Amino acid sequence: GRRFAVGGGCVSRSSLCSGAIVFAAGLRTAPYPPGSSSAIFDWRCLVSLHFTRADLSDATEISAILEEWYLANSWIPPVHDPVERADYGRVLLDHSEVTMLRWRGQCVGFLALERDIVQSLYIRSEFQRRGFGRAAMSYAQSQCDQLRLWVFQSDRRAQGFYRSLGFQVVETSDGQDNDYNLPDMMLCWRQTHG
């Protein structure tokens, strides 16, 4: 099958805490006192990000987030028409487990996993660089012992983001197997035990 690369990137620390990701968006973070919680705490900014399993009613929102990304990245060749892109949410829901990221009642993005493959991670532009992408990947890393994903070789921002999370390049390709025919690379992250 054809594959597609994921994009996105942001900065801050995160950890899983009782069904929601709690993360600090400030510069200086410190863990709670021993025994009280495994969350990261920042005196200036403590935010709760909720992850909800997507269903068919989220398909339009997923497609809108992807369309925003597509329009903001003029270097992506126009291989899908607007009708195909509008159906992206439904197609993704058919093939992946999609999780919506909600903060203060707003959808800030989504994460799609197909077993240990990150099929998509998109954060709305107004919420980028605020820790949401890092929190989403922390959530994904808590679900699997290993994660794999494809990024375009020209997308240095996404590469830096994933490398900062411990991903390493394990394969490169000329792009003949992705929809856009753009050179890409597979990155992999493995849980370290001990």
Side-chain angles (χ1 to χ4, degrees):
R2 309 278 293 168
R3 66 174 186 267
F4 48 95
V6 297
C10 46
V11 294
S12 90
R13 297 188 58 186
S14 62
S15 98
L16 189 62
C17 179
S18 65
I21 292 289
V22 177
F23 69 96
L27 300 174
R28 295 171 41 112
T29 59
Y32 283 121
S36 64
S37 174
S38 62
I40 302 296
F41 183 75
D42 182 319
W43 289 99
R44 294 173 290 140
C45 183
L46 186 64
V47 179
S48 181
L49 177 61
H50 298 276
F51 293 86
T52 58
R53 186 179 187 127
D55 60 30
L56 200 51
S57 69
D58 295 305
T60 301
E61 189 152 30
I62 292 167
S63 296
I65 293 168
L66 176 69
E67 184 69 5
E68 176 189 302
W69 174 84
Y70 172 77
L71 294 173
N73 290 282
S74 60
W75 54 273
I76 297 291
V79 298
H80 300 288
D81 65 39
V83 173
E84 290 174 311
R85 292 193 312 267
D87 198 36
Y88 176 78
R90 185 195 57 76
V91 171
L92 192 61
L93 285 164
D94 286 346
H95 300 286
S96 304
E97 184 175 318
V98 181
T99 302
M100 304 303 286
L101 286 70
R102 301 196 188 280
W103 177 67
R104 294 185 178 175
Q106 301 177 78
C107 177
V108 299
F110 69 89
L111 166 72
L113 294 173
E114 188 175 335
R115 294 177 304 281
D116 68 340
I117 299 171
V118 178
Q119 289 291 354
S120 298
L121 170 61
Y122 291 99
I123 305 297
R124 290 186 184 273
S125 60
E126 66 266 29
F127 296 105
Q128 291 180 6
R129 299 197 165 290
R130 294 172 63 182
F132 296 113
R134 187 168 294 272
M137 290 307 297
S138 179
Y139 175 80
Q141 289 171 323
S142 75
Q143 308 295 307
C144 302
D145 287 336
Q146 161 182 292
L147 291 171
R148 298 175 291 150
L149 54 85
W150 289 92
V151 297
F152 294 117
Q153 290 183 27
S154 60
D155 193 346
R156 303 276 190 236
R157 182 176 163 198
Q159 291 172 40
F161 170 68
Y162 293 115
R163 284 184 172 140
S164 77
L165 296 171
F167 282 81
Q168 297 179 343
V169 176
V170 295
E171 181 182 340
T172 60
S173 96
D174 62 6
Q176 294 303 306
D177 287 332
N178 69 53
D179 287 351
Y180 302 99
N181 291 315
L182 293 174
D184 57 3
M185 59 179 61
M186 176 181 272
L187 286 86
C188 184
W189 167 86
R190 287 185 175 82
Q191 183 79 263
T192 55
H193 299 284

